[in-house]
C-alpha cells in the first residue's frame, strides 16, 4: 500500500510540476518594431537569462515570439527596457540600465553577467571582469581583474574627477555602474536632457519569512511508535534571486515537534528543510510546490515534497496553507522516496523582509 502511495504522490507531483512550468507571467508592456511603430499588450517575464534571447508578446490571447533580429526593443510598462544589439556577431536583447551621456547595458547568459558601455563618440563595448583562483609557486590566490576600470576611465575621460569613483568599483554591478553613469551625465551634460535610469534596482536576493504551525503524524521513528500525532511549529525562509527567476525559491528554516514514545519517555524532534520551491507570482491565490531534503536532529536525512497555496493579503503579507509529506529515501537512489515517514498540514503567515 505504501509503494502505491509513493507512486501516486510522484505522479501527482510530476504532473502538477509540468503544468506549472507551462504557466506564464505576462505583464503590461510594449514592443517597438523595426519600422518604429509601437505595439501595446503584455510581455512574458521569465528572468534575465531568457529575456536576453526572446520576447513573448501577447495581445488578448494571441502570443507572438520576437527575436532580437525582429524588433528594435521592448519594455515592461515603467519597468525593464530591452534593446536589440549585435554583440560578438550575435543579435541579443540587452537590458537598458541607463540612458544618458553614458549608456549602460546588461546581459545575462550561460557564462554569467555581462555589462556594456556606449556613448555618442564610442561604440558599444563590454566592461570586462573576471575572478577566480590562480596558482603561483604552488600557492593558490584569489584574483579579481581590473580591466573594467580601464574601460570605464576610457569612456569617462571627459570627467577626470570620477577616476577615484572608478577605482572603488571592485566588481561591476547594476548599482555602482548606474551611479557612475548618473554622475558622469551630471558633469558633462550641459543641456536640459535628463539621465534616464530604467533599472528599478532589483535586489540580488529577496527573502520572505514564514511562521507556521499544524498537526504532524509520524508513522515511524526509531521503531518505538507508529501513527503518533503531535503539533509541529517553526519558521521558514524563502530565498529568491529575482534577476534569475522570480518563481523559484530555496526553502529552509527549522521546525519543532515534541514527541512521546510508547514507554512514556519524551523527546524533541527538530527538522531543517533544504528544498527548492516553485511559487506562482501572480494573483491573490498563488499555488506552490516544493521538493528536496529534510535534515533531522539527531542526524537523519529524508526526502520531502509538498504543495499548497499562498493567499496575498497585501504586498508585504500573505497567508500560507501547505500539505507536507516526508519519506525515508531509497537505499539505491538517494532522492527517490521509498516509505512514508511523516505527513503534516500547516497554516501560517508569510512576511516579505
Amino acid at each position: 500500500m505504501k509503494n502505491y502511495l509513493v507512486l501516486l504522490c510522484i505522479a501527482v507531483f510530476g504532473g502538477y510540476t509540468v503544468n506549472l512550468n507551462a504557466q506564464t507571467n505576462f505583464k503590461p508592456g510594449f514592443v517597438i518594431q523595426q519600422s518604429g511603430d509601437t505595439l501595446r499588450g503584455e510581455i512574458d517575464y521569465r528572468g534575465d537569462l531568457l529575456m536576453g534571447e526572446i520576447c513573448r508578446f501577447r495581445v488578448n490571447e494571441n502570443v507572438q515570439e520576437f527575436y532580437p533580429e525582429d524588433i528594435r526593443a521592448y519594455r515592461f510598462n515603467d519597468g525593464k527596457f530591452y534593446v536589440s544589439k549585435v554583440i560578438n556577431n550575435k543579435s541579443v536583447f540587452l537590458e537598458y540600465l541607463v540612458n544618458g551621456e553614458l549608456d549602460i547595458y546588461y546581459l545575462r547568459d550561460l557564462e554569467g553577467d555581462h555589462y556594456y558601455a556606449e556613448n555618442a563618440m564610442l561604440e558599444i563595448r563590454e566592461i570586462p571582469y573576471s575572478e577566480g583562483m590562480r596558482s603561483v609557486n604552488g600557492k593558490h590566490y584569489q584574483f579579481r581583474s581590473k580591466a573594467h576600470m580601464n574601460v570605464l576611465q576610457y569612456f569617462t575621460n571627459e570627467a577626470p574627477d570620477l577616476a577615484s569613483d572608478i577605482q572603488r568599483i571592485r566588481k561591476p554591478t547594476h548599482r555602482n555602474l548606474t551611479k557612475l553613469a548618473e554622475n558622469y551625465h551630471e558633469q558633462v551634460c550641459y543641456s536640459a536632457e535628463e539621465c534616464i535610469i530604467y533599472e528599478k534596482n532589483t535586489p540580488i536576493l529577496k527573502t520572505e519569512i514564514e511562521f507556521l504551525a499544524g498537526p504532524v503524524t509520524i508513522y515511524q521513528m526509531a521503531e518505538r511508535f507508529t501513527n503518533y500525532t503531535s503539533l509541529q511549529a517553526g519558521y521558514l525562509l524563502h530565498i529568491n534571486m529575482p534577476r534569475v527567476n522570480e518563481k523559484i525559491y530555496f526553502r529552509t528554516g527549522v521546525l519543532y515537534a515534541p514527541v512521546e514514545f510508547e514507554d512514556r519517555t519524551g523527546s524533541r524532534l527538530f527538522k531543517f528543510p533544504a528544498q527548492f520551491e516553485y511559487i506562482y507570482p501572480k494573483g491573490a491565490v498563488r499555488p506552490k510546490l516544493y521538493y528536496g531534503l529534510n535534515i533531522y536532529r539527531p542526524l537523519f536525512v529524508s526526502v520531502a515534497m509538498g504543495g499548497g497555496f499562498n493567499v496575498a493579503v497585501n504586498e508585504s503579507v500573505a497567508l500560507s496553507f501547505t500539505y507536507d509529506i516526508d519519506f525515508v529515501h531509497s537505499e539505491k537512489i538517494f532522492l527517490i522516496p521509498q516509505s512514508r515517514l511523516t505527513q503534516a498540514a500547516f497554516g501560517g503567515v508569510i512576511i516579505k523582509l
Side-chain angles (χ1 to χ4, degrees):
M1 182 64 182
K2 291 182 179 180
N3 291 334
Y4 286 116
L5 176 62
V6 172
L7 292 175
L8 177 61
C9 289
I10 294 175
V12 171
F13 183 85
Y16 196 14
T17 302
V18 170
N19 182 52
L20 282 181
N21 283 337
Q23 289 181 346
T24 54
N25 187 18
F26 281 95
K27 298 181 178 182
F30 58 87
V31 166
I32 302 176
Q33 298 179 294
Q34 295 290 4
S35 63
D37 295 334
T38 298
L39 300 177
R40 297 192 175 274
E42 295 178 308
I43 300 169
D44 189 14
Y45 180 75
R46 289 298 188 94
D48 292 333
L49 188 63
L50 290 179
M51 302 312 293
E53 299 178 354
I54 187 173
C55 169
R56 299 187 71 246
F57 179 72
R58 181 174 73 179
V59 178
N60 298 325
E61 297 302 321
N62 181 29
V63 178
Q64 294 176 270
E65 293 185 348
F66 294 113
Y67 293 90
E69 301 88 352
D70 302 328
I71 58 176
R72 290 187 186 181
Y74 69 91
R75 186 182 181 184
F76 296 93
N77 289 354
D78 300 322
K80 289 178 178 286
F81 188 11
Y82 293 85
V83 295
S84 177
K85 294 283 186 179
V86 177
I87 302 295
N88 297 327
N89 299 318
K90 179 184 178 182
S91 294
V92 295
F93 287 122
L94 298 183
E95 184 183 350
Y96 211 161
L97 299 183
V98 182
N99 178 2
E101 292 296 318
L102 176 64
D103 294 342
I104 300 294
Y105 305 94
Y106 168 72
L107 173 71
R108 182 175 180 85
D109 61 17
L110 295 176
E111 296 179 356
D113 296 330
H114 305 272
Y115 293 93
Y116 299 86
E118 184 182 37
N119 63 25
M121 302 298 295
L122 300 173
E123 294 183 353
I124 190 168
R125 180 172 175 180
E126 184 170 4
I127 303 170
Y129 177 79
S130 60
E131 62 181 20
M133 299 296 295
R134 285 179 176 172
S135 179
V136 179
N137 297 326
K139 295 183 178 180
H140 299 287
Y141 299 90
Q142 184 176 11
F143 78 93
R144 288 185 173 183
S145 67
K146 297 183 178 181
H148 63 283
M149 298 182 184
N150 297 329
V151 172
L152 292 173
Q153 288 175 348
Y154 179 60
F155 272 89
T156 60
N157 60 4
E158 294 184 10
D161 292 345
L162 294 179
S164 58
D165 294 341
I166 293 173
Q167 292 299 316
R168 287 193 290 268
I169 298 178
R170 302 300 181 186
K171 178 179 180 179
T173 65
H174 282 48
R175 179 174 296 180
N176 57 36
L177 292 180
T178 298
K179 186 62 177 178
L180 177 68
E182 188 177 17
N183 291 340
Y184 178 75
H185 185 91
E186 291 177 355
Q187 290 197 23
V188 303
C189 183
Y190 300 103
S191 68
E193 182 180 357
E194 294 184 0
C195 177
I196 303 174
I197 300 174
Y198 299 113
E199 167 63 24
K200 282 190 170 182
N201 197 24
T202 303
I204 297 176
L205 289 178
K206 182 178 69 175
T207 303
E208 300 175 356
I209 187 169
E210 177 183 2
F211 300 97
L212 69 167
V216 57
T217 299
I218 304 172
Y219 292 98
Q220 51 180 310
M221 184 64 64
E223 299 182 352
R224 297 174 69 179
F225 58 79
T226 58
N227 296 336
Y228 180 85
T229 299
S230 178
L231 177 67
Q232 188 170 231
Y235 72 90
L236 296 174
L237 294 177
H238 305 268
I239 303 170
N240 171 251
M241 299 180 66
R243 293 183 188 173
V244 179
N245 191 312
E246 62 177 6
K247 303 177 184 178
I248 304 299
Y249 291 75
F250 179 71
R251 185 177 189 265
T252 188
V254 59
L255 297 170
Y256 163 77
V259 296
E260 183 178 294
F261 295 116
E262 293 177 344
D263 58 6
R264 299 294 183 178
T265 60
S267 182
R268 293 177 295 176
L269 190 65
F270 288 93
K271 182 166 66 175
F272 305 90
Q275 300 146 7
F276 287 101
E277 179 178 39
Y278 175 101
I279 303 177
Y280 189 64
K282 296 177 62 178
V285 179
R286 303 175 182 182
K288 60 184 178 181
L289 288 172
Y290 58 88
Y291 192 93
L293 303 176
N294 279 325
I295 302 171
Y296 284 86
R297 196 192 74 175
L299 185 60
F300 176 79
V301 180
S302 65
V303 177
M305 65 173 67
F309 57 92
N310 299 335
V311 179
V313 177
N314 54 45
E315 292 185 356
S316 302
V317 178
L319 303 178
S320 68
F321 302 90
T322 308
Y323 173 73
D324 178 273
I325 187 166
D326 209 1
F327 297 91
V328 177
H329 63 78
S330 168
E331 295 181 0
K332 295 182 179 180
I333 304 177
F334 184 71
L335 285 174
I336 299 299
Q338 179 172 290
S339 58
R340 187 171 52 174
L341 181 65
T342 70
Q343 69 176 12
F346 295 109
V349 176
I350 297 175
I351 301 173
K352 293 183 180 180
L353 300 180

